[in-house]
Amino acid sequence: MNILIVGSGGREHTLTWKIKQSPLCKNLYVAPGNAGTALLAENVNIGVEDFSALGNFCKEKNIEMVVVGPEVPLVAGIKDYFKGKDDLKHIAIIGPDKKGAILEGSKDFSKDFMARHNIPTAASKTFTSANLEEGLQYIDNHSVPIVLKADGLAAGKGVVISETREDAKATLKDMLLESKFGNAGSKVVIEEFLNGIEISVFILSDGDNYIVLPAAKDYKRIGEGDTGPNTGGMGAVSPVPFANQQFLDKVEEKIIKPTVEGLKKEGIDYTGFIFFGLMNIKGDPYVIEYNARLGDPETEVIIPRLKNDFVEVLKAMANKTLNNIQVAFDERHASTVMLVAEGYPGDYEKGRRIQGLDKVTDKDVLVFHAGTKLSGDDVLTNGGRVISVTAYGDNMKQALEKAKATAEIIDWKGKNYRKDIGLDLLSLSAAE
Ligand code: AMP
Ligand code: GLY
């Protein structure tokens, strides 16, 4: 079949790499893609929110499946758009419709959803400018740290953790009165701070059945030792040593099952990925957030461990036959290290020439492009997160060492990356 992948990051390059391996895939396109996807598929210069251009392209190229990477088009209703057009509705869209994507699109909705279905999460309350005074009082009576979240999509920047009540109150006013996060912050969820270790768990859902993918851990802070501002993700590992079977069983019973059943009960036919951002608190999982898509850079370590023909799995997801699929995963560990631009996550320059890509020879290493673009024969930086280097290893340490060795070979002016991805987990498992 002809397949279109929507997006342009490391996640989408990884999906391109995996889908390209399937004998079921005939022609493969990526909109808009990057310099990495251009090596495997045809890049199409259409933005992820331009539904009518995407629709026309699908008609022109006889596309049968669209795999949606990022949240923005999902929350904006890409699936509803395709399903609402007679000449597009036959196309399988991998991703939820607007009703399902609201799990990520509104934190207020997702908190209420979790409350309705008894899914463990931080206690919270939602405020708007109409009840700002109540919100300020709520903060006065709450312990610190305290967490404030813009309700809507804010490109990963909508969460503020305040160490003092004064700071929290100023932030609440900024969000509600000064529109600090635009419309996304017109409602603010205030919630208790969860103290534990984060872990990402993903499922594929066809609305009736689901498959659990291997867990991963993402490293969000820019600096080593988890310091400095949050980024989109500086690296990831899979599997996660502390996520033993007992913990994963709890995740399935207390979180995954009630979520899938809750969606069904509420009449939400969810076809797509669900990303559970979890906190492990003394062995018990709590939901920090839902995302309606795969994570980035978690995809760069999870998908390389999947042994199945991915298109077969995606087809089963669209046909509601996931119950017929047995998934198998590579036993090896995978670690990915994100190479980022100088200055990221603050201001950074684009357009720097990347060198050394042709010098990568380790067969256990996969180089996924995130923010790159082609200019003649040159590959240039084109974003804050530039290249995700994934390596397999017999253990996490070996995978990390291999990824770092390749991270040294690829270079441009101002390249930065974290050398400590996964190391906290090594000392943690040694302490167990
Ligand atoms: P999000 O944008 O929802 O992924 O949140 C960004 C980050 O904020 C998460 O990855 C967590 O590290 C942190 N966070 C969010 N909610 C909480 C919470 N209730 N307690 C502690 N940390 C949180
Ligand atoms: N790695 C976190 C995310 O994709 O949101």
Side-chain angles (χ1 to χ4, degrees), residues 214-233:
K217 188 169 188 324
D218 172 24
Y219 289 78
K220 284 221 169 78
R221 303 291 196 95
I222 185 72
E224 292 185 2
D226 281 331
T227 52
N230 263 338
T231 69

Side-chain angles (χ1 to χ4, degrees), residues 2 4 51 97 108 113 150 177 215 239 268 284 310 325 344 411 422:
N2 296 333
L4 171 68
F51 299 163
D97 61 9
D108 180 42
F113 177 87
L177 301 179
I268 299 173
D284 283 317
F310 197 40
I325 298 278
Y344 175 80
D411 206 18

Side-chain angles (χ1 to χ4, degrees), residues 10 25 41 44 80 101 114 133 144 160 178 198 232 258 265 268 385 412 427:
C25 175
V44 190
D80 310 67
M114 286 185 261
E133 283 307 317
V144 284
V160 178
E178 310 291 332
E198 281 185 66
K265 272 189 212 145
I268 299 173
R385 295 194 294 171
W412 67 88
S427 50

Side-chain angles (χ1 to χ4, degrees), residues 14-15 17-18 199-204 211-218 236-240 273-275 293-308 310 328-330 332-336 366 368 390-392:
T14 311
L15 295 173
W17 168 82
K18 184 69 180 166
I199 177 167
S200 307
V201 172
F202 300 86
I203 64 164
L204 299 119
I211 287 175
V212 185
L213 296 173
K217 188 169 188 324
D218 172 24
V237 298
S238 178
V240 182
F273 301 100
I274 305 179
F275 165 166
R293 55 176 171 85
L294 286 172
D296 193 349
E298 289 95 327
T299 304
E300 288 91 309
V301 288
I302 292 171
I303 295 298
R305 295 188 59 219
L306 177 68
K307 287 185 168 171
N308 298 60
F310 197 40
F329 300 102
D330 198 317
R332 287 177 297 170
H333 286 245
S335 295
T336 202
L366 300 162
F368 296 120
T390 296
Y392 296 103

Side-chain angles (χ1 to χ4, degrees), residues 7 38 66 97 99 144 150 178 185 189 191 206 216 275 277 288 293 295 297-298 365 418 421:
V66 178
D97 61 9
K99 255 171 101 182
V144 284
E178 310 291 332
V189 173
E191 71 177 27
D206 67 10
F275 165 166
I288 299 178
R293 55 176 171 85
E298 289 95 327
V365 166
R418 271 181 69 169
I421 302 300

Side-chain angles (χ1 to χ4, degrees), residues 204-211 271 311-327:
L204 299 119
S205 161
D206 67 10
D208 292 321
N209 315 287
Y210 65 86
I211 287 175
T271 323
V311 176
E312 200 175 288
V313 176
L314 296 176
K315 271 179 80 175
M317 195 155 139
N319 297 336
K320 291 195 179 290
T321 53
L322 273 184
N323 52 321
N324 294 334
I325 298 278
Q326 286 290 330
V327 279

Side-chain angles (χ1 to χ4, degrees), residues 136-156:
L136 297 171
Q137 264 175 30
Y138 186 79
I139 292 171
D140 269 331
N141 296 324
H142 202 288
S143 56
V144 284
I146 186 167
V147 183
L148 282 79
K149 299 186 171 183
D151 173 56
L153 293 185

